[in-house]
Amino acid sequence: MVIKKYIVNNMNEALTRIRYELGKDAIIISQRKIKRPGLLGFFQKKVIEVTAAIDNSNKEEQEEKKPVENGIDILKKIVEKNREESNTNEKLSYLKDDNQDDIYKELQEMKSMMNKIVSNSSGEKEEKDPLKIKLEKADLSDSIIKSLMNKVNNMEDDIDSIEKVKEALKDEIHISNSSTDGIIVLVGPTGVGKTTTIAKLAGSLALVQKKKVGLITIDTYRIGAVEQLKTYADIMNIPFRVVFTQKDMDEALESMKDFDTILIDTTGRSSKNAMQISELRMLIDKIQTENIHLVISAAIKNKDITTIVEGYKILGFNNVIITKLDETTSYGSILNILDSAKKPLSYVTIGQSVPDDLKTLSKEEIVNLILGEDNIC
Ligand SMILES: Nc1nc2c(ncn2[C@@H]2O[C@H](COP(=O)(O)OP(=O)(O)OP(=O)(O)O)[C@@H](O)[C@H]2O)c(=O)[nH]1
Ligand SMILES: [Mg+2]
């Protein structure tokens, strides 16, 4: 740190010299009106003594230090230097000088800034509850963390805190017990994995459990969406129908009425587009089923969950499928989604392989994932 004094006639001259000699990052520490030094100066007009400083300490050292420490160090040095050079009364008098308002203001701002830095840095040092840190690491939403911590704090003291949080988490997780018999409809935003999940379900039911399965796709919206599911249907040798209108739907359902399971795929709609969702509603409204699953990706941002859940509510989904668990390393989104949807979890998917990457999870497994005691891969 370099601290330099300038005797100048006006502030313009001071700023020009400071910038030239110390550079643009230099700061003005003080200024005061004085008589020019020396005997002659006593008879002349007052001049200004400006003290400026630049922190040019070793760059590497600066990088190693936290910005907060740098700020505090600079402040300390400035205070020490000022203490050496002039007494407090003198400083107050120059600060109150009419011409010095700006400088005074600047110093006040600097002081309040430094206070903020100091109070922040002491805040950081406050010890955080390790349990809370664990929950934050899982990317659980703030409101869920708050409610979990409240529950934990109100529990009997004779159990371990990690066991308490496990209990509290389990209370929040609901697993679906929906059957795979009858009609199953998948709805949800574009690209979340609806068609792949339908193929996984079809594969597991038809090929592994040897059930009689039919596939229907509602494609009022996207050309080409049909091909993907048709390919799976062909490979698995499963009857497949495309539905555009209510009449098509009635016919398709009639043709599959003695099947164990009918899986209905829908094309992704933006949850913000109420029109597109209403169109879909007309086609699935008349289907008698308790098995409408909202499909959401685990990689979703917290703030988008509500928009999607609200957007799809009119379709009356009663289960949630969470996909792409293999694409995330923190599993708090499972609980964030379930909490927002207020519906139980039926399946999760953990990769692109059909049908292997479709799973059901128990409450314990989800808790272990959220707390980082287990992972998907
Ligand atoms: N990593 C990973 N990828 C997945 C998973 N499920 C689906 N995908 C991939 O996600 C992409 C989109 O999957 P689709 O099944 O076409 O998604 P969709 O919801 O039917 O999309 P739309 O029909 O456009 O609404 C594909 O590349 C899938 O292979 C999963 O569990 N993990
Ligand atoms: Mg699809």
Side-chain angles (χ1 to χ4, degrees), residues 4 6 14 23 39 49 52 96 112 126-127 164 194 218 222 254 262 284 290-291 293 297 329 360 376:
K4 219 169 161 185
Y6 295 85
L39 193 61
E49 181 196 85
K96 281 181 187 144
S112 84
E126 242 176 54
E127 285 239 340
K164 284 185 192 174
K194 295 177 296 298
I218 299 178
R222 208 189 66 190
E254 178 61 27
I262 301 171
I284 60 176
E290 279 296 294
N291 252 336
H293 303 244
S297 158
T329 48
T360 53
I376 284 296

Side-chain angles (χ1 to χ4, degrees), residues 194-196 222 225 228 265-268:
K194 295 177 296 298
T195 306
T196 319
R222 208 189 66 190
Q228 193 187 356
D265 189 18
T266 60
T267 40

Side-chain angles (χ1 to χ4, degrees), residues 21-34:
E21 287 177 31
L22 300 183
K24 66 176 171 42
D25 292 329
I27 51 166
I28 293 174
I29 301 164
S30 72
Q31 77 176 114
R32 59 178 180 161
K33 280 192 174 169
I34 54 162

Side-chain angles (χ1 to χ4, degrees), residues 204-310:
S204 133
L205 293 170
L207 306 179
V208 184
Q209 297 181 39
K210 306 285 179 213
K211 295 208 171 184
K212 201 159 185 209
V213 177
L215 291 183
I216 294 176
T217 189
I218 299 178
D219 184 28
T220 53
Y221 186 56
R222 208 189 66 190
I223 299 160
V226 174
E227 280 312 305
Q228 193 187 356
L229 196 55
K230 188 174 183 310
T231 310
Y232 285 121
D234 287 347
I235 295 169
M236 294 186 238
N237 201 19
I238 292 174
F240 172 71
R241 298 283 289 257
V242 185
V243 157
F244 297 95
T245 63
Q246 189 61 55
K247 193 165 160 271
D248 295 340
M249 178 65 91
D250 294 343
E251 280 171 16
L253 291 176
E254 178 61 27
S255 74
M256 296 177 182
K257 70 173 189 294
D258 59 336
F259 286 23
D260 296 314
T261 306
I262 301 171
L263 296 166
I264 303 183
D265 189 18
T266 60
T267 40
R269 266 94 172 148
S270 159
S271 49
K272 290 185 217 148
N273 193 328
M275 250 310 267
Q276 287 178 5
I277 296 186
S278 302
E279 251 175 43
L280 196 55
R281 185 187 181 178
M282 292 199 301
L283 284 170
I284 60 176
D285 237 11
K286 288 196 190 132
I287 301 170
Q288 297 293 312
T289 179
E290 279 296 294
N291 252 336
I292 301 176
H293 303 244
L294 174 65
V295 185
I296 302 195
S297 158
I300 191 172
K301 284 191 229 128
N302 266 349
K303 61 183 166 74
D304 294 335
I305 296 176
T306 323
T307 320
I308 290 170
V309 166
E310 289 304 315

Side-chain angles (χ1 to χ4, degrees), residues 42-88:
F42 194 76
F43 301 104
Q44 290 177 5
K45 200 173 120 222
K46 279 188 176 176
V47 286
I48 309 172
E49 181 196 85
V50 181
T51 311
I54 176 83
D55 184 28
N56 63 350
S57 51
N58 183 322
K59 268 233 156 104
E60 274 172 20
E61 200 181 296
Q62 269 191 26
E63 273 159 18
E64 274 171 26
K65 279 187 174 186
K66 283 184 197 160
V68 167
E69 286 168 352
N70 272 333
I72 294 166
D73 285 349
I74 292 169
L75 186 67
K76 273 189 197 153
K77 282 178 188 162
I78 291 170
V79 171
E80 271 162 26
K81 188 81 184 166
N82 271 357
R83 214 177 268 150
E84 279 166 21
E85 293 194 341
S86 51
N87 68 40
T88 320

